[in-house]
Amino acid sequence: MKQEKLKVLAVADPAVEGYLDKELGILDGYGKEVDFHMVPWADYYPMMMKAFAGEADYDIVMVAGHLWLCDFVEKGYLSEIDFEEEDILPVIAEEMKYKGKTYLSPSFCDGHMILYRKSLLSQTLGKEFGSVITPQEYIEAAKAYRKAAGGQATAMKAHKSEIFTDALPFLRMYGGDAYDSNGRAVCQKEEAVKGLQSYVELKAYAVDGTGDFGNGEIASAIREKRAAMAVTWSGQMGEVFKDGCLEPWDIGFSTFSTAWNVTWSFGICLNSGKKEAAQEFLKYLRSPDIDQKVGRKSGAPVRRASYEEGTEECPWFPVQFQMMGLARPLPHLSKAGEKNGILYEKISEAFSGRKTEKEAMEEAGKEIDRVI
């Protein structure tokens, strides 16, 4: 009897495209029918909600790890899964769980990584970045670069759909944050407001158009050496270093002391009628061989062995491994999508000058508190 085709909803990301890469042969190697439907990040959340509501037919959905896990389990969207941790990094294995039960299978990591042109920073600053720097050091380097070289130093991922997580390391730079450990909004406090002011200040040292930049524009700015430095996601590293990158040996790697990381993962819809087949497929996707293949394509694998064996091909792995160990997650949030959506909106208003940083964060705090 022929198995019914598994249907997967995934975010459109270079890291996910590895599963469909004919050269890697991952789906062909599985040997059973699987339909991957990829949706752009800006449109992804609404489509995922349709899948959970039964308005779209998917068995497996891609979930942004701890960012959404609490909400989705509490609402009964996800099925518990079997999970052999093996050499999956402990911090990632733990992120797959909620209240001691496992609901997710890891795919790739998206944490804050700093890319910089070693030649440009050495010429203007007389040194390169260390493997971990503070947001203040990043801002000071941008100022010094413009003073010495006369050009704009950085590219910022400040599109409205990206800006909250792009700004998050800066919200934390004076001891603030978006939420406290209990999930209450603290973005309106002085430390976080001051951090947002520093983030907006960085715009003066950024290349033109940065307010509309997403992942693709950041990758191009670094690949083409149009920016001396930029912050991107670890899951975009493969995209930056694909064929055509200008002088790839000139790119250095760092991360923030205030970094955040999320593990994009696969969950099985509670309403799927093919849970056993879905379990089997996810076990295949997180297997050592597939993690190495996809991890080198995305630049952000989830197993320790993939990092240990891939450093020569992926020279950013040591810094990325360090980032995952120090990155601070957001707390488990109910209605995370609605709450974080407020922060995207309000930080964008501050960045564009429509509101002051203080006004934006005070409004965000009040609106988040009203989400019940």
Side-chain angles (χ1 to χ4, degrees):
M1 180 178 176
K2 186 178 179 182
Q3 178 192 320
E4 284 188 80
K5 182 186 293 186
L6 279 174
K7 295 183 179 178
V8 181
L9 176 66
V11 68
D13 190 284
V16 183
E17 289 169 2
Y19 296 118
L20 307 180
D21 190 312
K22 288 294 183 183
E23 191 173 316
L24 294 182
I26 289 168
L27 291 187
D28 289 341
Y30 183 59
K32 298 177 183 178
E33 285 194 287
V34 180
D35 179 25
F36 257 80
H37 181 204
M38 295 172 62
V39 174
W41 163 242
D43 305 317
Y44 185 73
Y45 195 87
M47 178 60 76
M48 185 171 53
M49 290 300 103
K50 287 184 178 180
F52 289 142
E55 298 170 11
D57 183 21
Y58 294 102
D59 303 291
I60 295 170
V61 294
M62 202 160 213
V63 174
H66 76 274
L67 195 60
W68 298 334
L69 182 55
C70 164
D71 215 19
F72 293 177
V73 173
E74 295 288 352
K75 290 179 177 176
Y77 294 158
L78 298 175
S79 176
E80 190 177 349
I81 68 170
D82 297 325
F83 187 82
E84 298 294 335
E85 295 185 12
E86 299 173 330
D87 73 332
I88 289 171
L89 296 173
V91 67
I92 293 175
E94 190 59 32
E95 188 181 354
M96 303 299 98
K97 301 173 185 176
Y98 181 65
K99 294 185 176 179
K101 296 180 179 180
T102 302
Y103 293 91
L104 298 176
S105 178
S107 174
F108 69 95
C109 293
D110 254 353
H112 288 109
M113 289 287 287
I114 301 165
L115 302 179
Y116 64 93
R117 287 290 179 169
K118 293 184 280 188
S119 60
L120 298 180
L121 260 63
S122 295
Q123 290 169 13
T124 56
L125 306 180
K127 62 178 182 179
E128 298 175 14
F129 285 146
S131 60
V132 181
I133 65 171
T134 66
Q136 189 62 51
E137 288 177 282
Y138 189 86
I139 294 169
E140 292 304 321
K143 291 180 180 179
Y145 180 87
R146 192 172 75 173
K147 183 177 180 180
Q152 302 301 76
T154 188
M156 300 171 70
K157 191 163 19 126
H159 186 275
K160 184 178 175 181
S161 66
E162 300 279 355
I163 196 166
F164 165 44
T165 46
D166 196 53
L168 185 55
F170 297 85
L171 297 185
R172 293 172 164 177
M173 64 188 286
Y174 299 108
D177 213 320
Y179 305 95
D180 66 17
S181 59
N182 296 311
R184 292 186 293 260
V186 293
C187 54
Q188 69 275 28
K189 292 192 174 181
E190 181 182 355
E191 296 85 355
V193 171
K194 189 178 177 184
L196 180 57
Q197 288 169 340
S198 293
Y199 177 74
V200 173
E201 177 189 2
L202 188 61
K203 181 170 66 169
Y205 310 98
V207 297
D208 291 342
T210 204
D212 293 320
F213 278 17
N215 289 320
E217 291 81 6
I218 293 292
S220 295
I222 286 293
R223 284 168 54 80
E224 298 165 10
K225 211 171 179 177
R226 289 186 288 109
M229 56 201 220
V231 181
T232 191
W233 293 124
S234 54
Q236 293 289 318
M237 300 298 279
E239 181 71 5
V240 172
F241 283 87
K242 68 183 182 181
D243 289 347
C245 179
L246 183 66
E247 300 172 5
W249 59 85
D250 185 46
I251 298 178
F253 315 104
S254 185
T255 190
F256 283 128
S257 58
T258 52
W260 174 78
N261 179 67
V262 70
T263 306
W264 276 97
S265 312
F266 293 107
I268 300 173
C269 291
L270 192 66
N271 57 16
S272 169
K274 292 168 268 184
K275 292 187 178 67
E276 188 175 334
Q279 291 256 28
E280 178 187 288
F281 180 59
L282 294 186
K283 185 175 182 179
Y284 170 74
L285 291 189
R286 65 175 180 267
S287 65
D289 182 54
I290 302 304
D291 187 58
Q292 283 198 15
K293 288 180 179 179
V294 176
R296 292 183 187 187
K297 174 113 178 146
S298 70
V302 300
R303 287 180 175 270
R304 181 180 295 275
S306 298
Y307 283 94
E308 292 172 346
E309 298 169 17
T311 298
E312 184 174 345
E313 187 176 339
C314 304
W316 58 88
F317 274 5
V319 172
Q320 187 165 298
F321 191 86
Q322 193 173 2
M323 177 274 294
M324 288 187 290
L326 63 83
R328 196 166 10 138
L330 292 170
H332 285 305
L333 295 172
S334 61
K335 299 201 172 181
E338 294 92 325
K339 291 176 180 177
N340 291 333
I342 293 166
L343 285 164
Y344 282 104
E345 177 69 34
K346 296 302 177 183
I347 292 173
S348 181
E349 289 178 351
F351 191 83
S352 66
R354 286 174 285 163
K355 285 187 170 68
T356 68
E357 294 84 357
K358 184 176 175 61
E359 289 170 343
M361 291 293 91
E362 286 182 347
E363 289 180 15
K366 289 176 183 177
E367 290 187 25
I368 289 169
D369 285 342
R370 287 198 291 266
V371 177
I372 301 173

